[in-house]
Amino acid sequence: MEGIVQAILEIEFAGESVNCKKLNGYENANYLIEVHGVKYILKTYHEHQELEQLIQSESSVLSTLQKPHSSKYPKPILLQNGLYCNKIRDGEIDYLYRILSFLDGKFLGETEHSIELFHSLGHFIAQMNRKLNSYKNYFYQARKFEWDIQYVELNK
C-alpha cells in the first residue's frame, strides 16, 4: 500500500516536498501529510460498489458545512482531476482516495470530561444540525447505515 501512497503524492503534489505519516483508520487507510507547512489528511480506500458515490456525498455534506465559512469541519480538497475523489490502480486492485483539510485537536475520549465540554459539544451539534436542516442527498436517504438508530435491527 505504501507504493500507492507515494504514487498519489506524486500525482497530487508533483515535485513538492511532502512529509507523510500513517494514522489509524477504521475502514480505510489514513495519512497525515504536510506540504509547505500545511497539513492535510489523505484517505485511501479499496474500491467497492457505491464507495465513490459515498465519498462524493460526504464531500457534498462537508462543503455544505463550510458555508458561509467554517474551520470547524474538514474541508474537501479538489484534486488534480478537478474532483474530490480519484481512482488509482495498483496491479489488479483499484483504490479510491481523497484529501481533506487537517483539523488539529484531541479526540473526545482523550480529553478530561466536564459539563462545559458537553455543553460545547451539544452547541456544536446543534449548529451542525441547523446547517444541514435543509440539506438533501438522495444517496444518504436511500442508504441504511448500521449505526443509524432507525436501523438498529441491522446490528443483530
Side-chain angles (χ1 to χ4, degrees):
M1 182 64 172
E2 299 306 321
I4 270 299
V5 172
Q6 190 59 39
I8 292 168
L9 295 177
E10 288 173 16
I11 292 168
E12 300 302 330
F13 302 98
E16 301 292 334
S17 175
V18 179
N19 292 324
C20 182
K21 175 184 171 189
K22 186 162 188 187
L23 303 172
N24 292 330
Y26 177 60
E27 291 182 333
N28 57 295
N30 299 307
Y31 301 86
L32 175 62
I33 57 177
E34 186 173 351
V35 182
H36 300 294
V38 179
K39 294 179 181 178
Y40 303 95
I41 297 295
L42 168 65
K43 300 176 81 62
T44 60
Y45 311 81
H46 288 274
E47 185 185 35
H48 63 78
Q49 186 179 7
E50 296 184 345
L51 180 61
E52 190 167 358
Q53 175 116 28
L54 175 63
I55 292 170
Q56 293 294 357
S57 295
E58 287 177 358
S59 295
S60 174
V61 169
L62 290 171
S63 293
T64 298
L65 290 170
Q66 299 302 314
K67 298 170 187 167
H69 173 69
S70 179
S71 59
K72 296 179 181 179
Y73 311 95
K75 179 181 180 182
I77 305 299
L78 281 175
L79 302 174
Q80 292 297 323
N81 66 356
L83 302 172
Y84 293 118
C85 180
N86 201 358
K87 187 185 295 189
I88 191 167
R89 180 169 268 250
D90 184 24
E92 299 295 316
I93 302 172
D94 286 329
Y95 294 93
L96 293 172
Y97 68 91
R98 67 176 165 168
I99 298 175
L100 301 171
S101 63
F102 174 76
L103 296 180
D104 199 15
K106 293 182 181 178
F107 291 106
L108 183 61
E110 297 173 346
T111 62
E112 186 175 327
H113 295 175
S114 67
I115 292 172
E116 293 81 18
L117 175 66
F118 289 117
H119 176 76
S120 173
L121 178 61
H123 182 72
F124 173 81
I125 292 170
Q127 285 181 321
M128 182 173 61
N129 189 47
R130 256 193 221 149
K131 284 186 171 190
L132 294 175
N133 193 34
S134 62
Y135 178 81
K136 299 286 184 232
N137 183 293
Y138 296 109
F139 178 78
Y140 280 134
Q141 289 174 311
R143 185 150 176 173
K144 293 181 178 180
F145 294 99
E146 61 273 358
W147 48 260
D148 188 337
I149 193 136
Q150 66 183 322
Y151 302 115
V152 71
E153 75 279 358
L154 297 174
N155 294 301
K156 294 179 181 176

